[in-house]
Amino acid sequence: MSATDASVSCWVLYLLECHGGTYYAGITNNLAKRLQAHQEGRGARYTRARRPRRLLGYREFADRSEASKAEWAIKQLPRRSKLAFLRVREEVAHDR
């Protein structure tokens, strides 16, 4: 899975693993550009202090509203459930 796979015309929820093993979730409409910003220290304050190590996963949404709702939902989950949330979202998308 690469950052260039996500379409620029949609909104994306993504999950990063940062230094120290922490997770960071965010949304964007250009995943490749946003990941580059995180790597260069121009992303979120959290990732400026704890640089991303790898992209754990992402899911596409039709609009910003849906991506924002999913971001809120994933941030409410315990760490062990975050990757499962991304897998569930993928299964739901395939059922449509």
Side-chain angles (χ1 to χ4, degrees):
M1 157 180 17
S2 77
T4 57
D5 293 339
S7 171
V8 175
S9 64
C10 67
W11 280 85
V12 177
L13 165 67
Y14 61 94
L15 185 64
L16 302 174
E17 180 183 24
C18 299
H19 283 281
T22 60
Y23 287 172
Y24 174 82
I27 63 170
T28 184
N29 62 352
N30 188 328
L31 185 56
K33 186 175 178 180
R34 186 66 175 154
L35 291 176
Q36 183 177 355
H38 283 303
Q39 290 294 341
E40 294 172 354
R42 297 181 295 110
R45 183 178 304 163
Y46 187 87
T47 59
R48 279 183 243 149
R50 298 166 195 86
R51 292 291 170 91
R53 295 175 67 195
R54 65 185 175 131
L55 175 65
L56 294 173
Y58 67 90
R59 289 296 161 255
E60 297 178 354
F61 294 88
D63 56 44
R64 183 179 182 146
S65 176
E66 292 301 313
S68 292
K69 290 174 189 174
E71 179 185 22
W72 180 87
I74 200 169
K75 288 180 176 181
Q76 304 312 303
L77 296 173
R79 176 185 170 87
R80 68 184 177 277
S81 301
K82 292 182 190 295
L83 290 175
F85 178 86
L86 291 175
R87 285 193 292 274
V88 168
R89 299 302 304 172
E90 179 179 55
E91 291 166 7
V92 169
H94 288 296
D95 290 341
R96 290 183 185 172

